[in-house]
Amino acid sequence: MQLSSQPSPPPTPGTRRPGGRTARTRAAVRDAVLTGLVEHGYPGLTVEYVAERSGVHKTTLYRRWGGVEGLVADALDLAGEDSWTPPDTGSLQGDLRALAREVVEAFADPAAAAAPTAFIAAAFQSERAADALRGFYTERFARCGALIARAVERGEAPAGTDAAAVARAVSAPLYFRLFVTREPVDAAAAEQAADAALAAVRAGAYAAAEPERA
Amino acid sequence: MQLSSQPSPPPTPGTRRPGGRTARTRAAVRDAVLTGLVEHGYPGLTVEYVAERSGVHKTTLYRRWGGVEGLVADALDLAGEDSWTPPDTGSLQGDLRALAREVVEAFADPAAAAAPTAFIAAAFQSERAADALRGFYTERFARCGALIARAVERGEAPAGTDAAAVARAVSAPLYFRLFVTREPVDAAAAEQAADAALAAVRAGAYAAAEPERA
């Protein structure tokens, strides 16, 4: 559920990234954007900084990304192009608890938390960053469809349960603590978020209008 | 549940605010801080701006508030010193739905939303703003104790239900959409957040370790 936060490791000599030079450039630029966001925040991020840090010429950055907003939005798009799949533990409770733990663990390590936190902060100042963030989570929530489909098949969730609503329900109390109320999160908070979402699923709170409510 | 977002109206001639001149100064400074945060964001807020806008001398601002961080934290503390009480509709479902609607309505009007949004954004950059925000919500959640006490008395919630956890559960999916996933919120989202929290309350998800789980 978390934003992929690790800058990709630099390609070692002799290895080729899939996509070749263009993909390498994009990844180098993304890494520079992440580092810049983490170090200076969105208001302090400049095309000059990204050029210097990535070794990609300023003219190229302007031509291809338009400017800082485009650079941040593309870094977010790239973060979404990973192979994340939702947990598959064999039970809905196990899956939701694992999902909640992923959020807590993603933000427990300050180094790992820095990039996703910087993206969330940037969205306060950039409409394009906000759009990219929305796209990132829409895609993440869609992937959770598989988790809910399995639960419906096992009889653990009503047919028509909205996977995005469930994924949101599990994550929301943790992000709310982290970025609104500024309260700590821990394993107990993760478990409570997961178990509350499970109770709401069972009660049909995320099922479409008509079908069987518990 | 929302941050008190309206700058207090300027005192009309002949009226006296409770607390006299000191309270008037504090409110004028608070209004200037809110306007500055909304217009320039935390990184652009300066003591000079607050001095000019409030008519309070810079030296006084530094002496009394220390600087920008102290000014923002005090504006937040002042926002918490209101007379907000949780809804009392006669049923837990009605109360939770009203609470959720308050959040949606507070952020539906861009003018009203500006100040609380600016505070939430400032907490990304200022540890003192984050502390003040945490204090604000801790106090808000504590006030929700009355709402849950009534529900327990009516037999609508298990004894030992944690009022703060319930208040958080109702608000979190809405704030998550507003400030993390950047999705729209509406009356339907409010109702779903409230009804999901209600289902979790009934299932005992927010009750202390031992007592009766449904």
Side-chain angles (χ1 to χ4, degrees):
Chain A
M1 188 61 34
Q2 75 278 24
L3 289 165
S4 165
S5 54
Q6 302 296 351
S8 45
T12 46
T15 61
R16 292 278 314 254
R17 277 171 183 276
R21 203 166 67 90
T22 306
R24 277 201 306 277
T25 301
R26 192 179 173 209
V29 169
R30 185 264 316 267
D31 292 353
V33 170
L34 289 185
T35 309
L37 276 181
V38 167
E39 285 183 1
H40 304 293
Y42 183 80
L45 186 68
T46 61
V47 173
E48 287 69 20
Y49 175 93
V50 176
E52 191 167 320
R53 179 103 198 169
S54 67
V56 176
H57 200 276
K58 220 172 74 171
T59 321
T60 309
L61 296 178
Y62 275 112
R63 195 180 57 236
R64 194 151 153 216
W65 283 277
V68 168
E69 282 212 287
L71 283 165
V72 170
D74 189 55
L76 247 164
D77 288 344
L78 196 54
E81 293 173 17
D82 65 359
S83 57
W84 183 85
T85 53
D88 184 6
T89 64
S91 78
L92 180 56
Q93 182 174 51
D95 287 357
L96 298 185
R97 286 185 171 188
L99 209 52
R101 270 198 309 271
E102 279 189 24
V103 176
V104 170
E105 282 160 17
F107 291 101
D109 171 18
T117 301
F119 278 129
I120 293 166
F124 281 85
Q125 279 138 347
S126 159
E127 202 53 58
R128 283 189 65 187
D131 291 343
L133 209 51
R134 183 164 46 251
F136 175 87
Y137 284 105
T138 301
E139 161 64 18
R140 276 304 193 252
F141 294 160
R143 294 190 203 178
C144 292
L147 186 161
I148 294 300
R150 291 191 301 264
V152 171
E153 213 162 281
R154 286 188 301 251
E156 295 177 303
T161 296
D162 177 356
V166 179
R168 224 184 264 114
V170 171
S171 310
L174 304 168
Y175 280 88
F176 182 59
R177 283 168 174 270
L178 286 163
F179 299 115
V180 179
T181 64
R182 299 285 168 176
E183 298 169 284
V185 297
D186 56 14
E191 192 172 302
Q192 186 178 64
D195 291 358
L198 180 66
V201 167
R202 287 179 177 156
Y206 306 120
E210 299 305 272
E212 62 271 79
R213 299 207 167 220
Chain B
M1 189 57 41
Q2 76 278 22
L3 289 164
S4 168
S5 53
Q6 303 294 352
S8 44
T12 45
T15 61
R16 292 276 315 253
R17 278 170 183 276
R21 201 166 69 89
T22 305
R24 276 202 306 280
T25 300
R26 191 178 173 209
V29 168
R30 185 263 318 264
D31 292 353
V33 169
L34 289 185
T35 309
L37 275 183
V38 167
E39 286 183 2
H40 305 292
Y42 182 80
L45 187 69
T46 60
V47 173
E48 286 69 20
Y49 175 95
V50 176
E52 190 168 319
R53 178 105 199 169
S54 67
V56 177
H57 200 277
K58 222 171 71 169
T59 321
T60 309
L61 296 178
Y62 275 113
R63 195 179 56 236
R64 194 150 152 217
W65 283 278
V68 166
E69 284 213 286
L71 283 164
V72 170
D74 189 54
L76 247 165
D77 287 345
L78 196 53
E81 291 174 17
D82 65 359
S83 57
W84 183 85
T85 54
D88 185 6
T89 65
S91 77
L92 180 56
Q93 182 174 52
D95 286 357
L96 298 185
R97 286 185 171 190
L99 207 52
R101 271 198 309 272
E102 279 189 25
V103 176
V104 170
E105 282 160 16
F107 290 102
D109 172 17
T117 302
F119 278 130
I120 293 166
F124 281 85
Q125 279 138 347
S126 158
E127 201 54 57
R128 281 190 65 187
D131 290 343
L133 209 51
R134 184 166 43 251
F136 176 87
Y137 283 106
T138 301
E139 162 64 18
R140 277 304 194 253
F141 295 158
R143 294 190 204 177
C144 291
L147 186 161
I148 294 299
R150 292 191 300 264
V152 170
E153 213 162 281
R154 286 188 301 252
E156 296 178 302
T161 296
D162 176 356
V166 178
R168 225 185 265 114
V170 171
S171 310
L174 304 168
Y175 280 88
F176 182 58
R177 283 169 174 270
L178 287 162
F179 299 115
V180 179
T181 65
R182 298 285 168 177
E183 299 169 283
V185 296
D186 57 15
E191 193 172 299
Q192 185 178 63
D195 290 0
L198 180 66
V201 167
R202 286 179 178 157
Y206 307 120
E210 298 305 273
E212 61 273 82
R213 300 210 165 215

